Short mmCIF file of all heavy atoms in Angstrom, two decimals:
data_model
loop_
_atom_site.label_atom_id
_atom_site.label_comp_id
_atom_site.label_asym_id
_atom_site.label_seq_id
_atom_site.Cartn_x
_atom_site.Cartn_y
_atom_site.Cartn_z
N LYS A 1 126.10 165.06 153.55
CA LYS A 1 127.51 165.03 153.24
C LYS A 1 127.81 164.02 152.12
O LYS A 1 128.61 164.28 151.24
CB LYS A 1 128.31 164.65 154.49
CG LYS A 1 128.40 165.77 155.53
CD LYS A 1 129.21 165.33 156.73
CE LYS A 1 129.29 166.45 157.77
NZ LYS A 1 130.03 166.01 158.97
N SER A 2 127.15 162.87 152.18
CA SER A 2 127.34 161.85 151.17
C SER A 2 126.87 162.32 149.82
O SER A 2 127.55 162.09 148.80
CB SER A 2 126.56 160.59 151.58
OG SER A 2 126.71 159.58 150.61
N LEU A 3 125.73 163.00 149.77
CA LEU A 3 125.20 163.53 148.52
C LEU A 3 126.10 164.62 147.95
O LEU A 3 126.33 164.69 146.75
CB LEU A 3 123.79 164.08 148.73
CG LEU A 3 122.67 163.02 148.86
CD1 LEU A 3 121.37 163.70 149.30
CD2 LEU A 3 122.46 162.29 147.53
N ASN A 4 126.63 165.45 148.84
CA ASN A 4 127.52 166.52 148.41
C ASN A 4 128.82 165.95 147.83
O ASN A 4 129.32 166.42 146.82
CB ASN A 4 127.86 167.47 149.58
CG ASN A 4 126.69 168.36 149.94
OD1 ASN A 4 125.84 168.66 149.11
ND2 ASN A 4 126.62 168.79 151.18
N ALA A 5 129.35 164.91 148.49
CA ALA A 5 130.58 164.26 148.02
C ALA A 5 130.33 163.63 146.65
O ALA A 5 131.19 163.71 145.75
CB ALA A 5 131.02 163.19 149.01
N LYS A 6 129.16 163.03 146.48
CA LYS A 6 128.78 162.42 145.20
C LYS A 6 128.72 163.45 144.10
O LYS A 6 129.21 163.22 142.98
CB LYS A 6 127.43 161.71 145.37
CG LYS A 6 127.05 160.79 144.25
CD LYS A 6 125.74 160.08 144.56
CE LYS A 6 125.33 159.13 143.46
NZ LYS A 6 124.05 158.44 143.77
N LYS A 7 128.11 164.61 144.41
CA LYS A 7 128.00 165.68 143.43
C LYS A 7 129.37 166.20 143.00
O LYS A 7 129.61 166.51 141.84
CB LYS A 7 127.15 166.82 144.00
CG LYS A 7 125.65 166.53 144.05
CD LYS A 7 124.89 167.71 144.61
CE LYS A 7 123.40 167.41 144.67
NZ LYS A 7 122.63 168.54 145.27
N ILE A 8 130.27 166.31 143.99
CA ILE A 8 131.62 166.80 143.71
C ILE A 8 132.35 165.83 142.79
O ILE A 8 133.01 166.25 141.82
CB ILE A 8 132.41 166.97 145.03
CG1 ILE A 8 131.82 168.15 145.83
CG2 ILE A 8 133.88 167.22 144.75
CD1 ILE A 8 132.35 168.23 147.26
N ILE A 9 132.23 164.52 143.06
CA ILE A 9 132.88 163.50 142.22
C ILE A 9 132.32 163.54 140.80
O ILE A 9 133.08 163.52 139.82
CB ILE A 9 132.67 162.08 142.82
CG1 ILE A 9 133.50 161.95 144.12
CG2 ILE A 9 133.10 161.00 141.83
CD1 ILE A 9 133.20 160.69 144.91
N HIS A 10 130.99 163.62 140.68
CA HIS A 10 130.33 163.67 139.39
C HIS A 10 130.78 164.90 138.58
O HIS A 10 131.06 164.80 137.38
CB HIS A 10 128.82 163.67 139.54
CG HIS A 10 128.26 162.35 139.96
ND1 HIS A 10 126.92 162.11 140.09
CD2 HIS A 10 128.87 161.17 140.26
CE1 HIS A 10 126.73 160.87 140.48
NE2 HIS A 10 127.90 160.28 140.59
N LYS A 11 130.84 166.01 139.25
CA LYS A 11 131.25 167.28 138.60
C LYS A 11 132.68 167.17 138.08
O LYS A 11 133.01 167.61 136.98
CB LYS A 11 131.12 168.44 139.58
CG LYS A 11 131.29 169.81 138.96
CD LYS A 11 131.04 170.90 139.97
CE LYS A 11 131.21 172.28 139.33
NZ LYS A 11 130.97 173.38 140.33
N LYS A 12 133.55 166.53 138.90
CA LYS A 12 134.96 166.37 138.53
C LYS A 12 135.10 165.46 137.30
O LYS A 12 135.88 165.74 136.40
CB LYS A 12 135.73 165.79 139.73
CG LYS A 12 137.22 165.67 139.48
CD LYS A 12 137.92 165.11 140.70
CE LYS A 12 139.42 164.95 140.44
NZ LYS A 12 140.13 164.36 141.60
N LEU A 13 134.33 164.36 137.32
CA LEU A 13 134.40 163.42 136.20
C LEU A 13 133.92 164.04 134.90
O LEU A 13 134.55 163.88 133.84
CB LEU A 13 133.59 162.16 136.53
CG LEU A 13 134.16 161.22 137.58
CD1 LEU A 13 133.14 160.15 137.95
CD2 LEU A 13 135.45 160.56 137.12
N LEU A 14 132.80 164.72 134.97
CA LEU A 14 132.21 165.34 133.76
C LEU A 14 133.06 166.49 133.23
O LEU A 14 132.99 166.81 132.05
CB LEU A 14 130.81 165.82 134.05
CG LEU A 14 129.77 164.72 134.37
CD1 LEU A 14 128.41 165.35 134.75
CD2 LEU A 14 129.57 163.79 133.19
N LYS A 15 133.86 167.08 134.12
CA LYS A 15 134.72 168.19 133.70
C LYS A 15 135.74 167.76 132.64
O LYS A 15 136.12 168.53 131.76
CB LYS A 15 135.44 168.75 134.93
CG LYS A 15 136.16 170.08 134.67
CD LYS A 15 136.76 170.62 135.97
CE LYS A 15 137.46 171.95 135.72
NZ LYS A 15 138.06 172.48 136.97
N TYR A 16 136.17 166.49 132.70
CA TYR A 16 137.13 165.98 131.74
C TYR A 16 136.55 165.95 130.32
O TYR A 16 137.31 165.94 129.34
CB TYR A 16 137.58 164.58 132.12
CG TYR A 16 138.55 164.52 133.31
CD1 TYR A 16 138.10 164.03 134.53
CD2 TYR A 16 139.85 164.95 133.21
CE1 TYR A 16 138.96 163.98 135.63
CE2 TYR A 16 140.71 164.93 134.28
CZ TYR A 16 140.25 164.42 135.49
OH TYR A 16 141.11 164.38 136.58
N LEU A 17 135.22 165.93 130.21
CA LEU A 17 134.59 165.89 128.89
C LEU A 17 134.78 167.22 128.12
O LEU A 17 134.49 167.30 126.93
CB LEU A 17 133.10 165.60 129.01
CG LEU A 17 132.74 164.18 129.51
CD1 LEU A 17 131.23 164.01 129.61
CD2 LEU A 17 133.31 163.11 128.57
N LYS A 18 135.27 168.22 128.81
CA LYS A 18 135.59 169.49 128.14
C LYS A 18 136.86 169.37 127.31
O LYS A 18 137.11 170.16 126.41
CB LYS A 18 135.74 170.61 129.16
CG LYS A 18 134.43 170.97 129.88
CD LYS A 18 134.64 172.08 130.90
CE LYS A 18 133.35 172.42 131.62
NZ LYS A 18 133.54 173.48 132.63
N ASN A 19 137.66 168.34 127.62
CA ASN A 19 138.85 168.03 126.83
C ASN A 19 138.39 167.50 125.46
O ASN A 19 137.62 166.53 125.39
CB ASN A 19 139.69 166.99 127.58
CG ASN A 19 140.95 166.60 126.85
OD1 ASN A 19 140.90 166.16 125.71
ND2 ASN A 19 142.09 166.72 127.52
N LYS A 20 138.83 168.10 124.38
CA LYS A 20 138.37 167.74 123.02
C LYS A 20 138.63 166.27 122.68
O LYS A 20 137.78 165.61 122.07
CB LYS A 20 139.03 168.65 121.98
CG LYS A 20 138.49 170.08 122.01
CD LYS A 20 139.12 170.91 120.92
CE LYS A 20 138.56 172.33 120.91
NZ LYS A 20 139.17 173.16 119.85
N LYS A 21 139.81 165.77 123.06
CA LYS A 21 140.16 164.37 122.77
C LYS A 21 139.22 163.41 123.50
O LYS A 21 138.72 162.43 122.93
CB LYS A 21 141.59 164.08 123.17
CG LYS A 21 142.65 164.73 122.26
CD LYS A 21 144.03 164.33 122.71
CE LYS A 21 145.11 164.95 121.85
NZ LYS A 21 146.48 164.58 122.31
N ILE A 22 138.99 163.71 124.76
CA ILE A 22 138.14 162.84 125.58
C ILE A 22 136.66 162.95 125.14
O ILE A 22 135.96 161.93 125.10
CB ILE A 22 138.29 163.18 127.09
CG1 ILE A 22 139.70 162.85 127.53
CG2 ILE A 22 137.26 162.42 127.95
CD1 ILE A 22 140.02 163.18 128.98
N LYS A 23 136.25 164.13 124.79
CA LYS A 23 134.87 164.33 124.32
C LYS A 23 134.62 163.55 123.04
O LYS A 23 133.54 162.96 122.87
CB LYS A 23 134.62 165.83 124.07
CG LYS A 23 133.19 166.16 123.61
CD LYS A 23 132.15 165.81 124.66
CE LYS A 23 130.77 166.23 124.22
NZ LYS A 23 129.72 165.84 125.18
N LYS A 24 135.61 163.50 122.16
CA LYS A 24 135.49 162.76 120.91
C LYS A 24 135.32 161.27 121.20
O LYS A 24 134.48 160.61 120.58
CB LYS A 24 136.72 163.00 120.04
CG LYS A 24 136.68 162.31 118.68
CD LYS A 24 137.94 162.56 117.90
CE LYS A 24 137.91 161.81 116.57
NZ LYS A 24 139.17 162.03 115.80
N ILE A 25 136.13 160.76 122.13
CA ILE A 25 136.04 159.33 122.51
C ILE A 25 134.68 159.04 123.15
O ILE A 25 134.04 158.03 122.82
CB ILE A 25 137.16 158.95 123.50
CG1 ILE A 25 138.53 159.06 122.80
CG2 ILE A 25 136.98 157.54 124.03
CD1 ILE A 25 139.71 158.93 123.74
N TYR A 26 134.23 159.95 124.01
CA TYR A 26 132.91 159.74 124.66
C TYR A 26 131.79 159.73 123.64
O TYR A 26 130.86 158.91 123.75
CB TYR A 26 132.66 160.84 125.70
CG TYR A 26 131.29 160.66 126.34
CD1 TYR A 26 131.09 159.76 127.37
CD2 TYR A 26 130.18 161.38 125.88
CE1 TYR A 26 129.83 159.55 127.93
CE2 TYR A 26 128.92 161.18 126.43
CZ TYR A 26 128.76 160.28 127.46
OH TYR A 26 127.51 160.07 128.00
N ASN A 27 131.87 160.57 122.63
CA ASN A 27 130.82 160.63 121.62
C ASN A 27 130.74 159.32 120.84
O ASN A 27 129.65 158.85 120.50
CB ASN A 27 131.06 161.81 120.65
CG ASN A 27 130.74 163.14 121.30
OD1 ASN A 27 130.03 163.21 122.30
ND2 ASN A 27 131.28 164.21 120.74
N ILE A 28 131.90 158.75 120.52
CA ILE A 28 131.93 157.46 119.80
C ILE A 28 131.31 156.38 120.70
O ILE A 28 130.48 155.58 120.26
CB ILE A 28 133.38 157.06 119.43
CG1 ILE A 28 133.93 158.03 118.38
CG2 ILE A 28 133.45 155.62 118.92
CD1 ILE A 28 135.42 157.88 118.11
N PHE A 29 131.71 156.39 121.99
CA PHE A 29 131.19 155.43 122.95
C PHE A 29 129.66 155.57 123.07
O PHE A 29 128.92 154.57 122.99
CB PHE A 29 131.84 155.69 124.32
CG PHE A 29 131.22 154.96 125.48
CD1 PHE A 29 131.57 153.65 125.74
CD2 PHE A 29 130.27 155.58 126.28
CE1 PHE A 29 130.99 152.97 126.80
CE2 PHE A 29 129.70 154.92 127.35
CZ PHE A 29 130.06 153.60 127.61
N SER A 30 129.19 156.78 123.21
CA SER A 30 127.76 157.04 123.38
C SER A 30 126.97 156.66 122.13
O SER A 30 125.87 156.07 122.21
CB SER A 30 127.54 158.52 123.69
OG SER A 30 126.17 158.81 123.88
N ASP A 31 127.52 156.97 120.95
CA ASP A 31 126.87 156.61 119.68
C ASP A 31 126.71 155.11 119.53
O ASP A 31 125.70 154.62 119.01
CB ASP A 31 127.66 157.17 118.49
CG ASP A 31 127.55 158.68 118.35
OD1 ASP A 31 126.67 159.29 118.98
OD2 ASP A 31 128.37 159.27 117.61
N ASN A 32 127.71 154.37 119.99
CA ASN A 32 127.65 152.91 119.90
C ASN A 32 126.63 152.30 120.85
O ASN A 32 126.29 151.11 120.73
CB ASN A 32 129.04 152.30 120.15
CG ASN A 32 129.97 152.46 118.96
OD1 ASN A 32 129.53 152.60 117.82
ND2 ASN A 32 131.26 152.50 119.22
N LEU A 33 126.18 153.10 121.81
CA LEU A 33 125.13 152.63 122.75
C LEU A 33 123.74 153.16 122.38
O LEU A 33 122.78 152.89 123.10
CB LEU A 33 125.47 153.09 124.17
CG LEU A 33 126.56 152.30 124.90
CD1 LEU A 33 126.91 152.97 126.22
CD2 LEU A 33 126.15 150.86 125.14
N GLU A 34 123.67 153.87 121.25
CA GLU A 34 122.40 154.50 120.84
C GLU A 34 121.27 153.49 120.74
O GLU A 34 120.12 153.81 121.12
CB GLU A 34 122.61 155.21 119.50
CG GLU A 34 121.43 156.03 119.03
CD GLU A 34 121.09 157.19 119.92
OE1 GLU A 34 121.99 157.76 120.58
OE2 GLU A 34 119.88 157.55 120.01
N ASN A 35 121.53 152.33 120.22
CA ASN A 35 120.47 151.32 120.05
C ASN A 35 120.12 150.58 121.33
O ASN A 35 119.26 149.68 121.32
CB ASN A 35 120.89 150.30 118.98
CG ASN A 35 120.99 150.95 117.60
OD1 ASN A 35 120.27 151.90 117.29
ND2 ASN A 35 121.89 150.43 116.80
N TYR A 36 120.79 150.93 122.44
CA TYR A 36 120.58 150.21 123.69
C TYR A 36 120.16 151.11 124.84
O TYR A 36 120.36 150.80 126.01
CB TYR A 36 121.88 149.46 124.08
CG TYR A 36 122.35 148.57 122.97
CD1 TYR A 36 123.30 149.02 122.06
CD2 TYR A 36 121.81 147.30 122.78
CE1 TYR A 36 123.72 148.22 121.01
CE2 TYR A 36 122.22 146.50 121.74
CZ TYR A 36 123.17 146.97 120.85
OH TYR A 36 123.57 146.16 119.81
N LYS A 37 119.56 152.26 124.49
CA LYS A 37 119.12 153.21 125.50
C LYS A 37 118.04 152.63 126.42
O LYS A 37 117.85 153.09 127.53
CB LYS A 37 118.64 154.51 124.85
CG LYS A 37 119.78 155.41 124.41
CD LYS A 37 119.28 156.78 123.99
CE LYS A 37 120.44 157.72 123.73
NZ LYS A 37 119.98 159.06 123.33
N ASN A 38 117.31 151.66 125.91
CA ASN A 38 116.24 151.05 126.71
C ASN A 38 116.80 150.04 127.72
O ASN A 38 116.05 149.54 128.57
CB ASN A 38 115.21 150.37 125.81
CG ASN A 38 115.81 149.28 124.95
OD1 ASN A 38 116.94 149.42 124.48
ND2 ASN A 38 115.08 148.22 124.71
N PHE A 39 118.09 149.73 127.64
CA PHE A 39 118.73 148.85 128.61
C PHE A 39 119.09 149.72 129.83
O PHE A 39 120.11 150.40 129.82
CB PHE A 39 120.00 148.20 128.05
CG PHE A 39 119.74 147.14 127.02
CD1 PHE A 39 119.11 147.42 125.85
CD2 PHE A 39 120.18 145.85 127.24
CE1 PHE A 39 118.85 146.43 124.90
CE2 PHE A 39 119.97 144.84 126.29
CZ PHE A 39 119.30 145.14 125.14
N GLN A 40 118.29 149.70 130.84
CA GLN A 40 118.50 150.56 132.03
C GLN A 40 119.65 150.05 132.90
O GLN A 40 120.16 150.78 133.76
CB GLN A 40 117.22 150.65 132.84
CG GLN A 40 116.10 151.43 132.16
CD GLN A 40 116.48 152.85 131.81
OE1 GLN A 40 117.01 153.59 132.65
NE2 GLN A 40 116.25 153.23 130.55
N LYS A 41 120.06 148.81 132.71
CA LYS A 41 121.16 148.23 133.46
C LYS A 41 122.26 147.76 132.49
O LYS A 41 121.96 147.11 131.51
CB LYS A 41 120.70 147.04 134.29
CG LYS A 41 119.78 147.37 135.45
CD LYS A 41 119.42 146.11 136.20
CE LYS A 41 118.52 146.40 137.37
NZ LYS A 41 118.18 145.15 138.10
N LEU A 42 123.49 148.14 132.79
CA LEU A 42 124.64 147.72 131.98
C LEU A 42 125.70 147.16 132.90
O LEU A 42 125.83 147.56 134.06
CB LEU A 42 125.21 148.91 131.20
CG LEU A 42 124.27 149.74 130.32
CD1 LEU A 42 125.00 150.93 129.75
CD2 LEU A 42 123.71 148.87 129.18
N ALA A 43 126.51 146.25 132.37
CA ALA A 43 127.64 145.68 133.12
C ALA A 43 128.95 146.00 132.41
O ALA A 43 128.98 146.06 131.18
CB ALA A 43 127.47 144.18 133.30
N ILE A 44 129.98 146.23 133.19
CA ILE A 44 131.31 146.54 132.64
C ILE A 44 132.29 145.46 133.09
O ILE A 44 132.40 145.17 134.30
CB ILE A 44 131.82 147.91 133.14
CG1 ILE A 44 130.79 149.00 132.83
CG2 ILE A 44 133.18 148.22 132.50
CD1 ILE A 44 130.51 149.24 131.38
#
């Protein structure tokens, strides 16, 4: 049940990336992390 709930949340969050405005922001964010892909842990 916990895994299923997690999958549902993840699917819902990723669905917003279909929005063109949000996808554009995500791409900028992801590009700025390109040089740090080897950092397996990040803090916010």
Side-chain angles (χ1 to χ4, degrees):
K1 286 180 180 178
S2 179
L3 284 170
N4 286 335
K6 192 175 180 180
K7 285 180 180 178
I8 291 169
I9 290 170
H10 287 183
K11 189 175 180 180
K12 184 180 178 181
L13 288 172
L14 295 175
K15 191 175 180 181
Y16 287 108
L17 292 179
K18 293 180 180 179
N19 180 304
K20 288 184 179 179
K21 288 183 180 179
I22 294 177
K23 181 63 177 177
K24 182 182 177 182
I25 295 171
Y26 178 80
N27 287 340
I28 293 170
F29 170 83
S30 181
D31 287 346
N32 284 334
L33 283 173
E34 186 64 30
N35 294 329
Y36 306 95
K37 281 190 172 180
N38 59 323
F39 288 61
Q40 292 301 311
K41 292 181 179 181
L42 306 174
I44 306 297

